[in-house]
C-alpha cells in the first residue's frame, strides 16, 4: 500500500515553503500526502521558535503524537525547522518517540532518511541532521507547491543581522544567496507551469548577492527575472530598512510587474529602543526612506512589524511607537509582545517589562492600527482595482477572492474560469481586513 505523509507547519512563509520542499521530496519517493495525522505513516512537524507561543504550540502538538505512536509503532515522526535546529537531540530526551531531527539547512537529508529501509519498528535508529550545510543554497530540491496561481521562490537563506531579540540567525545560520541562474531557471519553470505571481523569499532580501562571486545585487535580480513572460506580478519579503537602497526604490518604480507593496518592519518608534534592538537605523532614517518610497511609487502600500515591551521600553518610548503609527499610517501591521528567546542578546538587558504592561501596550497598538487600516480601506471605495484571482473565498465559498497589487484582499462575485487571471473590480465595501467589490 502507498505510504502517506503529513506535514504540520508552524511559523513564517519560509517554513511554509520549506514544507513544500519536504512534500516534494516525499512525493518523489512515492509517498502520498494525507490531510491529517490519523492515517499518516510519516509525520513531520516543521517548527517555529520566533516567540514562546509558537514554541508552546509545537510542544503540545508533539505531546499529542505520543498516543499516535503507541497505536502505530511503525509511524515515523520527524521534527524539522527552527526549534529542531536550536534544541537538537535534547528533543529525543523529552520525547523518545521522535525518530528524526533536522534543521532548516538540511531538508535534503529527508531523502535518504525516508529511503532508509532499516527504519523498521524493531530496528529503530534515532538520527539527526543539524550540521551547517554550506552547499545547501546551491541545491535545487523538488517542490510540491500548494497553489497554482501564486508561488514562493527562495532567493537567500539565513540572516546575519543579529537583532537583539531574534533567534533566526541562530536557527537559520549565516546569510547565503542562491545563484542567480538557479533563481532564473525556477522562474522560467513556474512561468511554463502557468503561475502568475511569485514572492521572493529571504530574511533580508535587500542584501541579496552580498556573498555571491558574480556581480548581482537585489535590484539587478529583479530586473533580470522581470523579463520572463507569463509571470505577471513579483513580490518579495522581507526587507530590512537599513539596507533599502535608492536603487531598489527606483527598480520598484520602473519595473511594472513589481507590486506596489513593501513590508518594512520598523519594530519601534523610539531611537533608544531601536539601538538596543541593534536595528541599525533611527526613526528619522526610516521616515526618509518612507518619503522616498511614497514620492517615487504611486499609491504604494506599506506594512510593518512592531514589537511592544522590549526590555527598557518606557511609557515615553511606547508613545513614540504610537506616534510612528499615526505619522506613517501603515496599510497594515503585525504587532507582537516581546518574547524572551534562548541565546539572544536581549535576554541580558536590564528592565524587562511586565507581562500585563506588554498586553496593555499591544492592545493599544492594535486598536490604533485597526482604525487606520479601516480608514485606508474605506478610501478605496469607488476605485477600480486590478485583482489576481486566486480561488474561492475561505469565508464565503460562493465568492471568489484575490489581491490587489497593493496586497489588499478583495472578495467578489465572479466566474471560476477567471481563477489565475487579472480582472478589474470596482470596490463597493470596506471591511476591517478585506474589501468587497464587483467586476467591471
Ligand atoms: N527577517 C524578517 C522577519 C523576522 S521574524 C525581518 O527582519 O523583518 C518576524 C517578526 O517577528 C519580526 O519582524 C519581529 O517583529 C517579530 N519578532 C522576532 N523576534 C521576536 C521576539 N523575540 N519577540 C517578539 N517578536 C519578535
Ligand atoms: Fe531576525 Fe533581525 Fe534577521 Fe529579521 S533581520 S530575521 S528580525 S535577526
Ligand atoms: Fe519561525 Fe524560523 Fe520563520 S523561527 S518565523 S520559522 S525563520
Amino acid at each position: 500500500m502507498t505510504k502517506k505523509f503529513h506535514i504540520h507547519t508552524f511559523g513564517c512563509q519560509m517554513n511554509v515553503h520549506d514544507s513544500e520542499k519536504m512534500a516534494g521530496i516525499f512525493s518523489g519517493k512515492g509517498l502520498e500526502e494525507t490531510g491529517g495525522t490519523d492515517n499518516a505513516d510519516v509525520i513531520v512537524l516543521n517548527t517555529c521558535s520566533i516567540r514562546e507561543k509558537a514554541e508552546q504550540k509545537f510542544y503540545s502538538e508533539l505531546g499529542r503524537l505520543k498516543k499516535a505512536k503507541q497505536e502505530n509503532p511503525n509511524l515515523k515522526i520527524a521534527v524539522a525547522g527552527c526549534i529542531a535546529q536550536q534544541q537538537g537531540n535534547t528533543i529525543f530526551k523529552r520525547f523518545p518517540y521522535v525518530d528524526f531531527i533536522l534543521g532548516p539547512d538540511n531538508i535534503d537529508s529527508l531523502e535518504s532518511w525516508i529511503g532508509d529501509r532499516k527504519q523498521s519498528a524493531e530496528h529503530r535508529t534515532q538520527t539527526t541532521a543539524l550540521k551547517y550545510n554550506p552547499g545547501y543554497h546551491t541545491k535545487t530540491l523538488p517542490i510540491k507547491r500548494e497553489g497554482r496561481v501564486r508561488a514562493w521562490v527562495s532567493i537567500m537563506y539565513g540572516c546575519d543581522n543579529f537583532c537583539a531579540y531574534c533567534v533566526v540567525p541562530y536557527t537559520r545560520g549565516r546569510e547565503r544567496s542562491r545563484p542567480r541562474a538557479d533563481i532564473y531557471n525556477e522562474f522560467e519553470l513556474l512561468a511554463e507551469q502557468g503561475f502568475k505571481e511569485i514572492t521572493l523569499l529571504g530574511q533580508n532580501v535587500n542584501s541579496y548577492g552580498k556573498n555571491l562571486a558574480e556581480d548581482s545585487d537585489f535590484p539587478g535580480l529583479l530586473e533580470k527575472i522581470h523579463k520572463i513572460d507569463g509571470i505577471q506580478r513579483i513580490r518579495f519579503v522581507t526587507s530590512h530598512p537599513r539596507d533599502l537602497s535608492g536603487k531598489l526604490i527606483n527598480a520598484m518604480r520602473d519595473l511594472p510587474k513589481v507590486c506596489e507593496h513593501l513590508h518594512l518592519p520598523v519594530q519601534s518608534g523610539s531611537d533608544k529602543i531601536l539601538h538596543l534592538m541593534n536595528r541599525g537605523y533611527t526613526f528619522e532614517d526610516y521616515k526618509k526612506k518612507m518619503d522616498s518610497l511614497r514620492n517615487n511609487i504611486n499609491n504604494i502600500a506599506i506594512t510593518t512589524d512592531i514589537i511592544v515591551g522590549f526590555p527598557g521600553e518606557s511609557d515615553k518610548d511606547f508613545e513614540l511607537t504610537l506616534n510612528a503609527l499615526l505619522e506613517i499610517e501603515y496599510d497594515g501591521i503585525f504587532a507582537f509582545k516581546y518574547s524572551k528567546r534562548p541565546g539572544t542578546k536581549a535576554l541580558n538587558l536590564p528592565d524587562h517589562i511586565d507581562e500585563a504592561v506588554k498586553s496593555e501596550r499591544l492592545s493599544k497598538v492594535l486598536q490604533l492600527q485597526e482604525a487606520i487600516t479601516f480608514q485606508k480601506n474605506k478610501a478605496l471605495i469607488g476605485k477600480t482595482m486590478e485583482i489576481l484571482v486566486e480561488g474561492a473565498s475561505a469565508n464565503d465559498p460562493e465568492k471568489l477572492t484575490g489581491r490587489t497589487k497593493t496586497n489588499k484582499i478583495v472578495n467578489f462575485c465572479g466566474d471560476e474560469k477567471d481563477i489565475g487571471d487579472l480582472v478589474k473590480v470596482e470596490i463597493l465595501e470596506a471591511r476591517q481586513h478585506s474589501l468587497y467589490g464587483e467586476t467591471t
Side-chain angles (χ1 to χ4, degrees):
M1 219 170 66
T2 311
K3 289 210 164 155
K4 296 193 168 59
F5 70 92
H6 174 63
I7 305 173
H8 185 143
T9 311
F10 304 81
C12 65
Q13 289 115 335
M14 233 134 319
N15 254 17
V16 174
H17 186 45
D18 283 350
S19 291
E20 292 183 328
K21 294 176 187 168
M22 296 180 199
I25 292 175
F26 288 145
S27 302
K29 288 277 177 188
L31 280 79
E32 224 170 61
E33 189 153 20
T34 175
T37 52
D38 284 355
N39 54 353
D41 302 289
V42 181
I43 297 174
V44 182
L45 300 185
N46 193 10
T47 64
C48 170
S49 142
I50 200 81
R51 283 169 292 274
E52 211 181 337
K53 246 198 207 154
E55 201 175 48
Q56 282 162 356
K57 271 198 227 158
F58 153 66
Y59 282 119
S60 44
E61 179 63 23
L62 185 54
R64 275 195 288 275
L65 290 184
K66 184 174 184 179
K67 212 168 135 246
K69 184 82 168 196
Q70 278 164 350
E71 281 165 9
N72 173 15
N74 287 319
L75 171 68
K76 296 287 164 219
I77 299 176
V79 176
C82 288
I83 300 177
Q85 188 64 43
Q86 239 191 348
Q87 298 300 322
N89 51 21
T90 59
I91 294 175
F92 289 140
K93 293 202 185 89
R94 276 180 67 193
F95 305 94
Y97 49 93
V98 169
D99 298 279
F100 188 38
I101 297 173
L102 68 152
D105 239 18
N106 285 278
I107 290 171
D108 49 343
S109 69
L110 275 177
E111 186 149 13
S112 49
W113 178 67
I114 203 66
D116 186 352
R117 294 196 183 278
K118 291 196 297 275
Q119 294 279 354
S120 63
E122 310 83 72
H123 302 283
R124 211 176 138 238
T125 45
Q126 290 182 311
T127 42
T128 60
L130 299 161
K131 285 210 193 86
Y132 179 58
N133 189 351
Y136 181 64
H137 64 293
T138 59
K139 291 197 171 136
T140 300
L141 297 181
I143 300 173
K144 183 169 183 277
R145 299 189 187 265
E146 273 174 18
R148 300 256 59 88
V149 181
R150 302 191 300 154
W152 313 103
V153 171
S154 306
I155 65 163
M156 62 194 302
Y157 299 107
C159 181
D160 284 351
N161 283 318
F162 291 95
C163 300
Y165 48 81
C166 185
V167 288
V168 174
Y170 306 95
T171 63
R172 298 211 168 228
R174 298 288 56 75
E175 187 181 295
R176 284 145 293 152
S177 297
R178 265 183 93 191
R180 195 159 80 166
D182 293 355
I183 298 170
Y184 189 86
N185 291 343
E186 192 170 331
F187 251 70
E188 279 198 316
L189 189 67
L190 288 167
E192 266 168 42
Q193 291 169 344
F195 285 90
K196 298 289 163 54
E197 180 180 301
I198 313 279
T199 303
L200 306 174
L201 283 181
Q203 292 295 352
N204 181 11
V205 291
N206 310 149
S207 66
Y208 172 82
K210 226 165 51 186
N211 331 79
L212 288 182
E214 56 187 310
D215 176 30
S216 168
D217 57 7
F218 185 57
L221 175 71
L222 286 177
E223 229 171 85
K224 177 119 176 94
I225 55 183
H226 194 268
K227 298 197 177 97
I228 296 173
D229 285 339
I231 303 297
Q232 312 265 9
R233 289 178 171 188
I234 300 170
R235 301 182 187 276
F236 50 89
V237 277
T238 303
S239 305
H240 193 298
R242 188 198 51 217
D243 300 323
L244 178 73
S245 63
K247 192 172 171 197
L248 176 59
I249 296 174
N250 292 345
M252 289 181 78
R253 182 195 59 201
D254 298 337
L255 300 171
K257 292 179 185 175
V258 176
C259 292
E260 299 93 330
H261 169 228
L262 190 67
H263 185 66
L264 196 64
V266 66
Q267 313 297 359
S268 168
S270 154
D271 289 345
K272 180 188 103 191
I273 297 297
L274 287 171
H275 179 69
L276 288 172
M277 285 177 165
N278 192 29
R279 289 291 286 176
Y281 54 86
T282 62
F283 183 59
E284 203 48 46
D285 297 335
Y286 183 94
K287 260 193 348 198
K288 278 196 194 127
K289 301 219 170 166
M290 197 60 52
D291 288 344
S292 172
L293 281 161
R294 286 184 165 153
N295 289 337
N296 278 288
I297 304 158
N298 268 344
N299 298 320
I300 185 168
I302 313 270
T303 54
T304 204
D305 292 343
I306 299 280
I307 297 178
V308 299
F310 186 78
E313 186 187 70
S314 64
D315 286 339
K316 219 174 105 209
D317 294 316
F318 176 64
E319 283 294 321
L320 290 169
T321 297
L322 292 178
N323 286 345
L325 296 184
L326 283 168
E327 215 170 307
I328 293 181
E329 298 193 336
Y330 288 104
D331 291 80
I333 65 166
F334 296 99
F336 313 100
K337 291 191 271 185
Y338 166 72
S339 170
K340 290 183 182 168
R341 304 316 297 136
T344 56
K345 285 222 180 74
L347 274 184
N348 304 321
L349 287 174
D351 304 322
H352 279 257
I353 307 294
D354 272 2
E355 209 43 44
V357 174
K358 283 189 211 168
S359 299
E360 197 186 312
R361 288 180 182 171
L362 181 66
S363 50
K364 276 193 185 150
V365 157
L366 292 175
Q367 214 182 340
L368 172 61
Q369 185 57 42
E370 285 220 338
I372 297 171
T373 304
F374 195 40
Q375 275 306 324
K376 289 221 153 196
N377 283 351
K378 278 199 292 200
L380 298 174
I381 294 174
K383 294 218 157 48
T384 297
M385 304 183 88
E386 187 192 78
I387 313 293
L388 176 62
V389 188
E390 289 164 30
S393 154
N395 299 331
D396 182 355
E398 300 277 286
K399 298 201 175 71
L400 292 176
T401 192
R403 275 163 212 260
T404 63
K405 280 184 96 187
T406 49
N407 212 29
K408 313 248 179 212
I409 296 172
V410 182
N411 298 313
F412 62 100
C413 295
D415 198 327
E416 268 185 33
K417 74 169 177 30
D418 289 338
I419 294 174
D421 286 341
L422 296 168
V423 298
K424 296 259 192 244
V425 171
E426 186 189 348
I427 307 302
L428 299 176
E429 226 180 285
R431 312 215 167 113
Q432 186 61 52
H433 299 289
S434 64
L435 302 162
Y436 171 74
E438 274 172 19
T439 43
T440 57

